[in-house]
Amino acid sequence: MSGRGLKWERVCENSRSRLQQDGCLMWMPFHPAVLKVGKGLSSKKGSFLAIWKGKAPPDWCAITNDMFILGDDKDCKGDVWWTGNVKEHQAKYFDQFEDYGGVSCVLLRMKDRSRWVVPWKKLRPLWVNGGSLNLESVGRYGLQWKYKCDGQPNYDWLSPLKEQINGKSS
């Protein structure tokens, strides 16, 4: 978590937690490794001075009854989301995870607040060529989140992803 898109990452975390409560998956976050190098502020209990200890993996992983998922949460604040926002080390994790039979994806929020799950298999060719997504093109690569319960926000990104992976139309 670089500090940008923290509100979106919280929305995604809440979505994963709700899907876990619904019995759809079990998930865990990945936090960047840090090295404690000193004391923090005396006025803040538990704080400490630290430095990043290398490059962080994608944000989270999840397991369902039939798939393993590695994902990263990305927020688009402008008209265009550049695929370069997936850093090279994250792409390597995605590739390796898929080589072992897992599914990698990006949970993306566009400027209009629409929510998308973008499978890495579809996003990777665009990423390799330094491409981008906008409101008109995101639907060719991603799947919109679904409403699972009346009166609740659309928190279900898992069903559309599973439908696509299992070869069903969404």
Side-chain angles (χ1 to χ4, degrees):
M1 207 179 324
S2 67
R4 293 173 292 165
L6 283 177
K7 287 182 183 176
W8 174 238
E9 287 189 351
R10 284 192 194 112
V11 168
C12 293
E13 182 177 323
N14 289 341
S15 166
R16 289 186 292 275
S17 294
R18 177 64 191 263
L19 288 167
Q20 184 168 317
Q21 288 172 359
D22 291 351
C24 300
L25 59 74
M26 196 285 285
W27 78 279
M28 63 187 336
F30 290 133
H31 299 290
V34 295
L35 178 64
K36 185 176 175 181
V37 294
K39 293 181 179 181
L41 299 172
S42 59
S43 61
K44 288 203 168 196
K45 185 177 181 179
S47 71
F48 56 89
L49 183 62
I51 57 172
W52 298 116
K53 201 177 157 188
K55 302 196 185 258
D59 292 332
W60 54 272
C61 72
I63 185 171
T64 71
N65 61 351
D66 61 352
M67 69 173 31
F68 297 97
I69 308 164
L70 180 66
D72 203 71
D73 308 330
K74 302 290 186 186
D75 195 10
C76 175
K77 292 195 165 109
D79 294 329
V80 173
W81 182 75
W82 297 100
T83 58
N85 287 315
V86 175
K87 302 303 178 202
E88 192 169 333
H89 66 278
Q90 293 173 320
K92 286 180 183 177
Y93 277 107
F94 284 162
D95 288 339
Q96 187 174 19
F97 198 79
E98 293 207 341
D99 288 346
Y100 282 100
V103 175
S104 300
C105 66
V106 170
L107 299 183
L108 176 64
R109 179 173 62 180
M110 296 300 288
K111 181 181 180 181
D112 69 347
R113 312 275 253 181
S114 59
R115 301 170 179 191
W116 300 86
V117 54
V118 186
W120 180 242
K121 274 192 194 314
K122 286 190 153 197
L123 185 59
R124 190 180 197 293
L126 195 61
W127 177 83
V128 167
N129 293 313
S132 62
L133 296 174
N134 59 34
L135 289 172
E136 294 170 13
S137 66
V138 70
R140 290 194 298 270
Y141 297 89
L143 309 155
Q144 275 202 293
W145 292 22
K146 289 187 174 180
Y147 289 90
K148 226 176 165 181
C149 303
D150 290 336
Q152 297 289 318
N154 58 335
Y155 67 88
D156 182 15
W157 51 267
L158 182 61
S159 295
L161 181 64
K162 282 183 138 190
E163 287 169 6
Q164 185 180 80
I165 298 301
N166 294 329
K168 299 175 187 171
S169 61
S170 55

